[in-house]
């Protein structure tokens, strides 16, 4: 009798490594590309503004905070596993006007690629009102569903951030939840969280 064939369970459960997305992405007015160290001055300018970071999970950035954020953004080029992210700089006519984030979160099973991801964005206030955030975020949504095997996209934000809530709605995302006093503020208080979501079939129907 031949010896039984032993399988490497650990190998069988190893999820696939996803390829880096094709960049840059060009829309009607914008270029979405990888973040590079030379973007530090532009990103630092708007992330040092307390009004810009008022509803973000980080405070207005000093030099040390900017260095830490730039390290994460520059490294965010080819996410493949939960908690890894894709970071994109947004340019208009060669000028950096904001940045976007796509963070992978959850798998369906231990050997599956991530099926859920979270969106985030920050834009320089001097470029507000021109539709750049909507145009860029819509391109990222399309990339998320075409390049990654995602089932769901979500965004979590402070309900007082009306501008971002309206952007979620323009992207076709649904307001799914409002959780009370679940986010610790920097001043020791608690704030609420609004959850918006978009499923692959909903995106496909509007694509």
């Amino acid at each position: 009798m031949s010896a039984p064939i032993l399988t490497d369970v650990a190998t069988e459960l190893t999820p696939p490594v996803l390829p880096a997305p094709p960049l840059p992405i060009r829309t009607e007015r914008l270029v979405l590309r990888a973040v590079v160290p030379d973007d530090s001055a532009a990103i630092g300018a708007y992330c040092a503004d307390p009004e810009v970071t008022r509803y973000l999970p980080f405070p207005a950035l000093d030099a040390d905070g900017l260095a830490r954020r730039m390290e994460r953004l520059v490294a965010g080029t080819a996410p493949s596993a939960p908690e890894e992210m894709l970071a994109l700089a947004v340019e208009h006519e060669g000028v950096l006007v904001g940045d976007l984030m796509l963070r992978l979160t959850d798998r369906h099973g231990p050997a599956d690629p991530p099926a859920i991801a979270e969106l985030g964005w920050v834009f320089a206030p001097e470029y507000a009102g021109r539709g750049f955030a909507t145009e860029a975020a819509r391109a990222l949504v399309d990339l998320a569903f075409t390049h990654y095997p995602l089932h769901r996209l979500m965004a979590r934000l402070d309900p007082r951030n009306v501008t971002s809530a309206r952007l979620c709605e323009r992207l076709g995302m649904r307001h799914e939840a409002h959780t009370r006093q679940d986010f610790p503020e920097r001043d020791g208080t608690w704030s609420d969280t609004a959850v918006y979501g978009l499923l692959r079939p909903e995106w496909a129907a509007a694509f």
Side-chain angles (χ1 to χ4, degrees), residues 23-38:
L23 296 177
I25 301 168
R26 300 182 185 276
T27 67
E28 181 180 354
R29 300 177 296 169
L30 306 172
V31 176
L32 281 61
R33 58 164 177 77
V35 179
V36 297
D38 285 348

Side-chain angles (χ1 to χ4, degrees), residues 135-149:
E135 186 174 331
R138 186 168 287 132
L140 180 56
V141 168
D142 291 343
L143 174 69
F145 281 120
T146 55
H147 182 74
Y148 298 99

Side-chain angles (χ1 to χ4, degrees), residues 14 19-20 27 30 46 104 106 111 114 118 146 161 182 187 189 198 206:
T14 300
T27 67
L30 306 172
Y46 57 78
L104 305 180
D106 298 286
E118 182 177 0
T146 55
N161 190 348
D182 65 332
D187 62 2
T189 61
L198 179 66

Side-chain angles (χ1 to χ4, degrees), residues 62-78:
D62 58 15
D64 289 340
L66 176 61
R68 290 191 295 271
R69 185 161 194 264
M70 287 301 301
E71 183 178 3
R72 292 193 296 272
L73 294 180
V74 171
T77 58

Side-chain angles (χ1 to χ4, degrees), residues 11-102:
T11 299
E12 289 182 351
L13 295 180
T14 300
V17 175
L18 303 177
L23 296 177
I25 301 168
R26 300 182 185 276
T27 67
E28 181 180 354
R29 300 177 296 169
L30 306 172
V31 176
L32 281 61
R33 58 164 177 77
V35 179
V36 297
D38 285 348
D39 295 327
S40 179
I43 292 175
Y46 57 78
C47 285
D49 185 340
E51 283 302 309
V52 171
T53 62
R54 181 180 179 188
Y55 299 123
L56 298 182
F58 56 84
L61 298 182
D62 58 15
D64 289 340
L66 176 61
R68 290 191 295 271
R69 185 161 194 264
M70 287 301 301
E71 183 178 3
R72 292 193 296 272
L73 294 180
V74 171
T77 58
S80 188
E83 301 309 317
E84 295 179 351
M85 74 170 185
L86 173 68
L88 296 176
V90 181
E91 284 188 358
H92 171 64
E93 297 180 347
V95 177
L96 193 149
V97 299
D99 62 85
L100 301 170
M101 175 273 294
L102 179 74

Side-chain angles (χ1 to χ4, degrees), residues 101 116-121 141 152-158 164-165 167-169 171 173-177 193-198:
M101 175 273 294
I116 301 176
E118 182 177 0
L119 296 170
W121 46 76
V141 168
R152 165 182 166 82
L153 271 179
M154 62 180 293
R156 291 182 290 188
L157 50 107
D158 190 309
S164 283
L167 173 54
C168 289
E169 293 167 358
L171 296 175
M173 306 181 86
R174 296 188 184 185
H175 183 201
E176 298 177 334
T193 299
V195 179
Y196 288 79
L198 179 66

